[in-house]
Amino acid sequence: MLVNTKANIGLFAVALGAYLPQFPSLVPEFESQYDAFKKTLPDTVNIIDGGIITTKEQSMEAGKLFRAADVDLVFVQMLTYATSYNMLPAVRDLDVPVVLVNVQKLKALDYDHTDIASWLGEGYACGAVGEAVADLERFGKRHAVITGVVEGGDEGVQHEIDEWCRAAQCRRRFRDTNIAQIGRPYPGMMDLYIDETNLYRRMNLYTKQFDWEKMWAIADDVTDEETIREKAQDILDTFDIEGGGSIEEVWEMARYVVAFEKWVKDEQLGLVASHYDGFAQGKAGVLDSMLIPAFSMLIKQGTACAVEGDMKVAMAMSILKTISGTGQLSEMYSIDFNEDICIIGHSGSGDADISAKKPTMKIVKVFHGKTGGGYLTQFYPHLGPVTYLGITQDGDGRFKFVVAEGINEEGKILSFGDTNMRTRFTCGAREFVNRWSEAGPTHHMAAASGRHIDTILKVAKIFDVPVDIITR
């Protein structure tokens, strides 16, 4: 990614202090289990280690540590029974989900040969989970429970941990990077309009404003021919250009991509939303003609770039790219009533990672509905499961996720230069359109290969936004 971010994960374990002097063998047992648990967290996160907590005072110290680190999520390993005051001071002042990890060491106790210390140390993680959840509820904390077993490995537990860490990375990415708005949204698309202060308040995402005059000059200082040549080759490796292409033909585009990459790093941009509605002449015309593939090169490197100035779909693209590796801009294109499928796609920048074959680039004289003409890019999303995510707002400015899963099927698509998918939904095409539209989304959504609603639900819990599940 052009701008890398690692989630900050608060981590601690709890046990009842009264047990430890009674059964000294529990101390090394719990230390071993806690060390093993820490190793299950992926390297995409920073661990903020609160240690093994057995007193209220230790819990308060962990809370100070977590607040200082601005953690994105907290995992609590339930080693054995523990009173809830061991947990609550650590999370009392945090506005992030608390995930209780109820992972028992053994699949089952040896009933005939288990003493009290073995029971407390190897088979009693479940004893405090209900109490912990009850008090998290009373404190108004978002929470979740993961239950499983260490012995023999537990793929389900590891999958849940990985999903939570990817979800937490979305929050960190929004907090540590910025969204660029170049120009303004497409005139009249009022569903796209946004209060940037509210965006910063509710989604932690800060907006940096840029004028097109600055963007036209962004490549003026890019003169290193070797760097430009390498980027031009990268463009040719990424796209098949209609009628063939050469380094010389994409040279100016490569200059701008090099400049955009530096701009993204200098401004710490994780997302970009842009729209140009001026006179496409001179420098303006040069940049406008090549903006779609240039921004596609940024998406390939992890910076979500949305057309028509849609900041909300840029957010959706960023979330899907972070949790799944793909994030394609989309909207409803048509309904094939003969096949009972939806045609879904978009004109504009796209994500090469969602394409099952090399994307194509072609020149058109006129961009439909937009100023000027130039390069269009067409991507060919993988067949099989696909997830759609839309982000919208209610009348009070609160955000909401709208999600659906479907299946991309083989068949004819439109071929005038826009990305298209033939998606079948379990509820049928017309019912999907009814349900999706009734949820009140913006007319754009992001798409990702695979099924990701379960992870999106975790992202929503971290951001504390509701989710409408249309179909899965």
Side-chain angles (χ1 to χ4, degrees):
M1 285 195 173
L2 281 174
V3 181
N4 273 318
T5 54
K6 280 191 170 188
N8 294 336
I9 302 296
L11 182 64
F12 68 102
V14 291
L16 187 66
Y19 292 156
L20 304 187
Q22 293 176 320
F23 307 101
S25 63
L26 290 178
V27 174
E29 176 64 42
F30 290 157
E31 289 174 347
S32 175
Q33 289 187 37
Y34 185 53
D35 286 341
F37 176 62
K38 283 188 282 189
K39 293 175 182 176
T40 66
L41 270 65
D43 60 8
T44 55
V45 305
N46 299 313
I47 295 175
I48 314 302
D49 192 349
I52 298 175
I53 291 174
T54 60
T55 68
K56 168 180 172 289
E57 289 71 26
Q58 291 173 333
S59 190
M60 291 173 66
E61 289 302 311
K64 292 178 185 178
L65 190 67
F66 298 155
R67 292 193 297 277
D70 182 28
V71 296
D72 302 297
L73 180 72
V74 175
F75 284 121
V76 184
Q77 184 185 21
M78 315 300 287
L79 291 169
T80 187
Y81 174 76
T83 51
S84 52
Y85 79 41
N86 289 356
M87 172 199 64
L88 284 171
V91 302
R92 181 189 62 188
D93 299 321
L94 302 177
D95 187 23
V96 297
V98 179
V99 181
L100 304 173
V101 183
N102 169 36
V103 180
Q104 188 169 286
K105 181 178 180 180
L106 301 179
K107 288 184 177 179
L109 295 170
D110 181 346
Y111 300 103
D112 295 327
H113 302 94
T114 295
D115 58 17
I116 293 176
S118 298
W119 162 58
L120 294 176
E122 299 175 334
Y124 192 32
C126 57
V129 181
E131 175 180 335
V133 170
D135 284 316
L136 289 170
E137 277 284 316
R138 292 167 73 187
F139 273 67
K141 301 298 179 184
R142 307 188 295 282
H143 52 75
V145 176
I146 300 175
T147 296
V149 64
V150 174
E151 184 182 10
D154 193 322
E155 292 183 1
V157 168
Q158 189 61 55
H159 181 71
E160 285 286 304
I161 290 170
D162 291 343
E163 280 195 339
W164 275 112
C165 288
R166 286 197 299 274
Q169 197 172 358
C170 294
R171 179 182 186 269
R172 180 50 44 189
R173 190 158 178 77
F174 279 26
R175 289 176 84 83
D176 283 0
T177 66
N178 307 294
I179 183 168
Q181 185 176 61
I182 315 174
R184 49 158 172 73
Y186 192 104
M189 291 182 178
M190 296 180 70
D191 59 327
L192 309 187
Y193 295 176
I194 197 165
D195 176 342
E196 295 153 26
T197 303
N198 185 54
L199 176 63
Y200 188 49
R201 171 193 175 190
R202 298 186 187 278
M203 300 296 285
N204 308 308
L205 189 57
Y206 182 74
T207 305
K208 288 193 171 186
Q209 296 281 2
F210 296 89
D211 293 323
W212 278 110
E213 284 190 355
K214 181 173 183 178
M215 307 316 293
W216 298 333
I218 198 170
D220 286 357
D221 297 331
V222 178
T223 58
D224 186 332
E225 292 196 358
E226 185 58 35
T227 300
I228 298 170
R229 185 174 299 277
E230 288 177 2
K231 189 54 60 179
Q233 187 59 56
D234 189 14
I235 292 169
L236 294 175
D237 291 342
T238 302
F239 293 101
D240 274 333
I241 300 176
E242 189 177 75
S246 67
I247 284 177
E248 289 70 29
E249 287 174 299
V250 298
W251 188 268
E252 192 68 8
M253 186 187 299
R255 284 182 67 239
Y256 272 98
V257 173
V258 170
F260 279 133
E261 289 174 353
K262 183 178 185 303
W263 171 66
V264 164
K265 289 182 179 179
D266 290 347
E267 301 289 349
Q268 286 290 108
L269 301 176
L271 311 89
V272 177
S274 67
H275 179 65
Y276 176 65
D277 194 29
F279 297 100
Q281 300 170 352
K283 277 194 172 184
V286 171
L287 177 54
D288 189 45
S289 70
M290 65 180 64
L291 206 57
I292 288 173
F295 277 171
S296 295
M297 296 299 291
L298 295 186
I299 296 172
K300 181 181 175 183
Q301 300 176 75
T303 296
C305 297
V307 299
E308 297 172 356
D310 189 351
M311 299 169 78
K312 282 175 275 195
V313 81
M315 292 158 59
M317 292 166 68
S318 179
I319 288 170
L320 287 184
K321 187 72 172 176
T322 302
I323 67 175
S324 73
T326 56
Q328 172 69 39
L329 178 68
S330 303
E331 69 177 32
M332 292 301 304
Y333 248 50
S334 186
I335 301 173
D336 187 328
F337 285 97
N338 293 328
E339 299 291 337
D340 194 28
I341 62 171
C342 293
I343 309 297
I344 299 176
H346 207 277
S347 172
S349 306
D351 184 1
D353 289 330
I354 204 173
S355 199
K357 67 177 184 177
K358 196 172 182 180
T360 54
M361 189 192 307
K362 66 186 297 183
I363 297 178
V364 295
K365 292 182 179 180
V366 178
F367 291 140
H368 72 270
K370 303 177 182 69
T371 299
Y375 290 95
L376 289 179
T377 55
Q378 185 158 4
F379 300 81
Y380 305 91
H382 296 279
L383 301 179
V386 61
T387 299
Y388 294 103
L389 169 63
I391 298 180
T392 189
Q393 291 173 275
D394 66 15
D396 294 319
R398 296 182 180 87
F399 290 90
K400 179 177 75 170
F401 292 175
V402 183
V403 296
E405 292 173 346
I407 299 290
N408 280 343
E409 296 187 352
E410 193 168 8
K412 288 187 176 182
I413 56 174
L414 301 171
S415 57
F416 44 71
D418 294 353
T419 300
N420 274 202
M421 293 169 277
R422 298 169 55 88
T423 308
R424 185 176 300 281
F425 297 98
T426 54
C427 61
R430 70 174 72 205
E431 183 61 20
F432 169 76
V433 174
N434 288 344
R435 293 183 191 178
W436 184 270
S437 302
E438 285 288 342
T442 62
H443 70 279
H444 293 146
M445 66 269 222
S449 298
R451 298 188 182 277
H452 304 291
I453 284 181
D454 288 340
T455 310
I456 291 169
L457 290 172
K458 293 177 174 65
V459 176
K461 183 165 282 192
I462 287 174
F463 281 111
D464 197 18
V465 298
V467 183
D468 280 1
I469 299 176
I470 305 304
T471 186
R472 60 190 305 178

